[in-house]
Amino acid sequence: MRLFAERGFDTTTVADVAAAAEVSSMTVFRYFPTKEDLVLADDHDPIIVDHIRAQPTDQPMIQRIGTALLESTSAQSPDERAMLLARLRIGLSVPALRSRMWDGQYQTQRYIAEALADEGIDEFELWVAAGACISAATAAIVRWAERGGTEDLAELMAVALRIVIHSSDRSPS
Amino acid sequence: MRLFAERGFDTTTVADVAAAAEVSSMTVFRYFPTKEDLVLADDHDPIIVDHIRAQPTDQPMIQRIGTALLESTSAQSPDERAMLLARLRIGLSVPALRSRMWDGQYQTQRYIAEALADEGIDEFELWVAAGACISAATAAIVRWAERGGTEDLAELMAVALRIVIHSSDRSPS
DNA sequence: TCACATCTGTTAGTGTCTAACACATGGGGC
DNA sequence: GCCCCATGTGTTAGACACTAACAGATGTGA
């Protein structure tokens, strides 16, 4: 991350990273399947799923997902926030990384839909609701990163989720 | 597209495509910046923007975007549908292409937000609304492709958009 | 101390993509 | 008809990401 931030992602080779880590290039590829994974490796999905499962089941589906996303973001430590910002700073400016980030959110969407399956909700409706919430959360995160992390991420995300969810008065299940 | 469908994307080299087109590899890269662009090249964004601009301005923003997406999909010819399905068939199964597809939607989101700027709406709210609609449209398109294109895409998209928009009673601007 | 699994390095190779230069083709002005 | 020039294309050389197969090192348990 230090090398990428200093010299740029595209202009830093895997060999450079390997040398800085005092290992061979092969060793890097053994732990990170691609160069992109050096930046994108994170384990936030299980945390989100935990928060999803902890939501009261008497709420509308879209509300449960949105609240879970908001909670799992609010629970981040300052260190995690700093790491997230560093990742986004590099990731949003490099096309290859940006694409991979969106795909990471697609994976998150799949995890969420999987965690909430078997509740009798229509599969497609669940998928759409998860997509809408993730889209809103992403909008907040991107905006936050573009402003250099100076704004309140949790508040931004709450605003974004409110736009998508607004006064949903539909019943659960 | 034929080669990729027959022999797989990863197992078909650019040299193979170039040979089939009876040109050199260099010529391929001159017209398509990357191998992925051989599959992903499309020009749907301007059409969406046209439909966006054609919406009555007395509707809520999210409604205008959603309707425009639905219209520009409904207006597709059978040939365009077939091409879309072929692209999705290959694209969804190849990680590198899937990632790039998501990034294409990010670009679409930017076009939409740009087309609707200067209307006095809060920039962030506009961005979130566009993201939610695109997310819904994408859910419909992916579902449609996963079912082999047998379902009614316009109807799927209408259902998805209704979930995101539902009975929004907020005023425009 | 030995057998074994795990980790790491080396080598050789494939494939994407770039840069620089040379060649061919075809149309417009003299 | 001939040259000039723009455009399109091919060739070559090369950087870099990534893979596969093999060999050496290291540490752990019996």
Side-chain angles (χ1 to χ4, degrees):
Chain A
M1 289 295 286
R2 180 175 57 77
L3 287 180
F4 291 151
E6 285 173 7
R7 324 208 304 231
F9 183 77
D10 290 328
T11 53
T12 304
T13 69
V14 172
D16 292 337
V17 175
E22 294 179 332
V23 295
S24 73
S25 302
M26 247 334 280
T27 302
V28 174
F29 284 116
R30 251 185 272 265
Y31 288 86
F32 299 89
T34 73
K35 180 184 177 185
E36 294 153 16
D37 288 287
L38 284 166
V39 177
L40 298 172
D42 86 291
D43 46 357
H44 203 220
D45 283 352
I47 297 168
I48 291 175
V49 169
D50 287 346
H51 281 274
I52 293 264
R53 291 230 171 80
Q55 293 301 309
T57 53
D58 61 344
Q59 294 282 316
M61 190 53 81
I62 200 167
Q63 183 86 45
R64 285 160 65 184
I65 299 170
T67 305
L69 287 176
L70 189 55
E71 283 177 3
S72 57
T73 298
S74 301
Q76 281 180 327
S77 70
D79 278 359
E80 287 170 321
R81 278 292 163 78
M83 192 63 180
L84 178 61
L85 185 58
R87 257 205 299 270
L88 288 164
R89 232 189 255 282
I90 302 173
L92 288 174
S93 59
V94 179
L97 290 174
R98 199 180 51 212
S99 300
R100 282 289 311 271
M101 282 177 51
W102 308 144
D103 199 53
Q105 302 191 353
Y106 175 66
Q107 301 299 336
T108 302
Q109 188 175 358
R110 299 189 62 158
Y111 277 120
I112 292 175
E114 200 176 329
L116 289 171
D118 308 326
E119 288 208 22
I121 300 251
D122 175 62
E123 198 186 331
F124 185 55
E125 184 174 338
L126 172 57
W127 184 256
V128 173
C133 289
I134 289 176
S135 167
T138 301
I141 291 171
V142 169
R143 155 97 174 211
W144 173 75
E146 281 172 349
R147 294 283 195 279
T150 54
E151 301 176 1
D152 184 343
L153 175 55
E155 191 179 319
L156 275 175
M157 195 176 290
V159 169
L161 285 166
R162 216 173 297 132
I163 293 171
V164 171
I165 302 177
H166 34 82
S167 52
S168 170
D169 51 341
R170 290 185 297 158
S171 61
S173 76
Chain B
M1 289 295 285
R2 181 176 57 77
L3 287 180
F4 291 151
E6 284 173 9
R7 322 205 312 227
F9 183 78
D10 289 329
T11 54
T12 305
T13 69
V14 173
D16 292 337
V17 176
E22 294 178 333
V23 295
S24 73
S25 302
M26 246 336 278
T27 302
V28 175
F29 283 117
R30 251 185 273 264
Y31 288 86
F32 300 88
T34 72
K35 179 184 177 184
E36 294 152 17
D37 287 287
L38 284 167
V39 177
L40 299 172
D42 86 291
D43 46 358
H44 202 222
D45 283 352
I47 297 169
I48 292 175
V49 168
D50 287 346
H51 280 273
I52 292 263
R53 291 230 172 81
Q55 294 301 309
T57 54
D58 62 343
Q59 293 282 316
M61 190 53 82
I62 199 166
Q63 184 86 44
R64 286 161 64 185
I65 299 170
T67 306
L69 288 176
L70 189 55
E71 283 176 4
S72 58
T73 297
S74 302
Q76 282 179 328
S77 70
D79 278 359
E80 287 170 321
R81 277 293 162 77
M83 192 64 180
L84 177 61
L85 185 58
R87 257 205 300 270
L88 288 164
R89 233 189 253 284
I90 303 174
L92 288 174
S93 60
V94 179
L97 290 174
R98 198 180 51 211
S99 300
R100 283 287 311 270
M101 285 178 49
W102 308 145
D103 199 52
Q105 302 191 352
Y106 175 66
Q107 301 300 337
T108 302
Q109 187 174 359
R110 299 190 61 159
Y111 278 119
I112 292 175
E114 200 176 330
L116 290 171
D118 309 326
E119 289 207 23
I121 300 252
D122 175 61
E123 197 185 332
F124 184 55
E125 185 175 336
L126 172 56
W127 183 256
V128 173
C133 289
I134 290 176
S135 166
T138 301
I141 292 171
V142 169
R143 155 98 174 210
W144 174 74
E146 281 173 347
R147 294 282 195 280
T150 54
E151 301 177 2
D152 183 343
L153 175 55
E155 192 179 319
L156 274 175
M157 195 176 291
V159 170
L161 285 166
R162 216 173 298 132
I163 293 171
V164 171
I165 301 177
H166 34 84
S167 52
S168 170
D169 52 339
R170 288 185 298 158
S171 62
S173 77

